[in-house]
Amino acid sequence: MDDPDRVGPGNPVSAGRLLLLVRRGIATTRRDLIRVTGLSRSTVTQRVDALLGAGLLRESAGPAEGRGRPAGTLAFDESSGHVLVAGIHRDGVELAAVDLGGRELHRSALTVPVAAGPEPVLDAVEAGLDALVADAELDPDRTVALGVGVPGPVDVAVGRVMQPPVMPGWHDHPVRDQLAERLGVPVFVENDANLMALGEQRAHWPDVPSLLLVTVGSGIGAGIVIDGRLYRGIDGGAGDIGHIRMYGHEERCACGATGCLAAVASGDALARTLAALGKDVRGVADVRRLVHEGDPDAIAAVRTAGQLVGEVLTTVVSVLNPEILVLAGEMAETNEYFVTGMREVIYQRSLPRATRHLRVVSTPSGDRAAVRGTVELVVDEVFAPAAVDARLGTPR
């Protein structure tokens, strides 16, 4: 596969590729573009002017250089449109409108649970987005696309959720096509852990070649970013660590199997464990509350759960050899007890070579990571070089 950042015979330097170079910060002036691409000044001028005319680039004022060409800084025009975001979760839906640089313009929440099924949830998403756009006084014609995050495996080629354990009735439902027809904009559907991983990587570790994000809330999942791109696996199942079988455990999982990691170490599993001890626990939020209150049983249970996740991640780290491992989800908010348990097992049981440069951290972005990742995904797709060239009608 061609690297979109690389200039060479396999990647002709079209206007769309010039835009990508600017978006990635590789070139920020016309002079930079000439130097990086080897194109003539006249060709760069022609293609940059086309991008400026289409509202895709903006150029700051600066002193003139040869023949009166401006020497100001080029930048992607992040105000030229907005992205709509719908994060579908087990207990509700989060909606947002975000500009192309990731700045949140408006947000709202819906209480419809994912278990209600695709039709009620997508009906609510459609109505909620219409209301959000109206409340934020946004121009619907400037909606670039809708990004949808879901808590299950996704076949991104068709925009459908495939055999999701916690989304009854959603298997093979045409989520992308249904929302695109109703809303009249491009729609991209992606697993929520993947979106979080992409958001964390782009926001905090853009130069890290390999990042693994593990999210532990009501369930457990992971997202993998390699060389700045999501790694999904051949069928969208990469990162589905929550359903790895744990030796010696027979707890029933939501997927129907027994002994899955999610059945013994997720927030839901911890809530069941603590409730069985007589604690006032009805869900993951109560687990966090008990930890923050210093309850010794809750602290011990959370630390043990982190160690169980660490057992699985020992193998994952040895295979991927990532530089950054990020813990996200509600268990990232347990005063470091979960991540401490996870970290100690990984470092104890992995080969030194696999962990020599590994950093294990809690998420810096919190619940904003998925929104950031959604915008990054949408912008990468909508403003890919080929898409921009087709929009401009310019030759490659």
Side-chain angles (χ1 to χ4, degrees):
M1 180 184 297
D2 290 335
D3 182 346
D5 293 343
R6 179 177 57 81
V7 174
N11 288 321
V13 189
S14 63
R17 198 161 297 280
L18 294 186
L19 178 64
L20 181 62
L21 293 173
V22 173
R23 283 207 301 113
R24 296 286 171 85
I26 297 170
T28 57
T29 67
R30 296 175 187 241
R31 182 178 295 168
D32 287 343
L33 290 171
I34 294 169
R35 174 180 52 80
V36 170
T37 65
L39 294 177
S40 68
R41 180 184 298 274
S42 61
T43 300
V44 166
T45 296
Q46 179 186 40
R47 293 178 182 177
V48 167
D49 287 348
L51 292 167
L52 290 168
L56 299 176
L57 280 183
R58 53 185 171 81
E59 189 170 29
S60 65
E65 54 184 26
R67 298 190 180 180
R69 300 298 183 190
T73 301
L74 294 167
F76 178 52
D77 192 348
E78 298 173 345
S79 65
S80 62
H82 58 264
V83 174
L84 299 180
V85 177
I88 298 175
H89 308 297
R90 188 181 66 170
D91 299 323
V93 179
E94 293 181 325
L95 303 177
V98 188
D99 74 11
L100 302 183
R103 184 175 66 90
E104 190 173 293
L105 305 174
H106 202 67
R107 83 165 15 217
S108 63
L110 308 173
T111 57
V112 57
V114 72
E119 291 298 343
V121 172
L122 297 182
D123 285 346
V125 166
E126 179 188 5
L129 289 173
D130 286 342
L132 181 144
V133 169
D135 291 344
E137 299 181 342
L138 299 173
D139 182 355
D141 291 336
R142 292 169 67 85
T143 299
V144 169
L146 165 65
V148 181
V150 296
V154 176
D155 184 341
V156 296
V158 294
R160 299 184 179 210
V161 188
M162 307 307 291
Q163 300 177 332
V166 298
M167 300 177 70
W170 286 78
H171 171 64
D172 206 28
H173 189 83
V175 176
R176 182 193 68 188
D177 294 346
Q178 184 171 323
L179 287 173
E181 181 179 357
R182 292 180 178 183
L183 298 172
V185 298
V187 176
F188 301 92
V189 184
E190 183 57 87
N191 171 263
D192 54 5
N194 284 349
L195 293 172
M196 295 173 72
L198 186 63
E200 292 283 4
Q201 190 270 337
R202 295 286 176 87
H204 302 290
W205 293 284
D207 298 323
V208 166
S210 180
L211 176 143
L212 171 67
L213 176 137
V214 177
T215 177
V216 185
S218 55
I220 297 176
I224 303 165
V225 180
I226 298 175
D227 292 334
R229 303 176 196 163
L230 285 173
Y231 177 75
R232 301 181 175 96
I234 194 65
D235 291 311
D240 198 7
I241 64 171
H243 301 287
I244 292 176
R245 178 72 183 270
M246 302 296 292
Y247 178 77
H249 292 273
E250 298 297 330
E251 293 88 339
R252 178 70 63 178
C253 181
C255 72
T258 58
C260 291
L261 178 63
V264 299
S266 67
D268 280 356
L270 287 167
R272 289 191 296 269
T273 297
L274 293 172
L277 295 176
K279 307 289 182 179
D280 181 19
V281 178
R282 290 176 293 277
V284 185
D286 291 321
V287 175
R288 293 202 324 270
R289 173 180 55 79
L290 288 176
V291 170
H292 292 158
E293 291 173 356
D295 184 285
D297 293 324
I299 291 172
V302 165
R303 189 181 183 92
T304 298
Q307 292 169 337
L308 289 170
V309 173
E311 289 184 23
V312 170
L313 291 179
T314 296
T315 300
V316 178
V317 164
S318 295
V319 172
L320 289 179
N321 192 205
E323 181 177 340
I324 299 292
L325 194 166
V326 183
L327 175 66
E330 290 164 298
M331 288 301 101
E333 304 170 10
T334 53
N335 294 346
E336 290 286 311
Y337 291 113
F338 193 102
V339 74
T340 298
M342 187 176 76
R343 184 188 288 116
E344 68 185 17
V345 171
I346 292 171
Y347 282 103
Q348 286 172 2
R349 301 191 183 181
S350 299
L351 290 173
R353 183 178 62 254
T355 57
R356 182 170 53 189
H357 298 296
L358 176 68
R359 286 181 284 169
V360 182
V361 300
S362 295
T363 169
S365 301
D367 61 0
R368 301 270 58 77
V371 173
R372 173 65 183 263
T374 303
V375 176
E376 294 286 345
L377 177 74
V378 167
V379 170
D380 280 353
E381 294 288 344
V382 174
F383 298 98
V388 171
D389 294 335
R391 177 174 172 178
L392 298 178
T394 55
R396 291 177 55 80

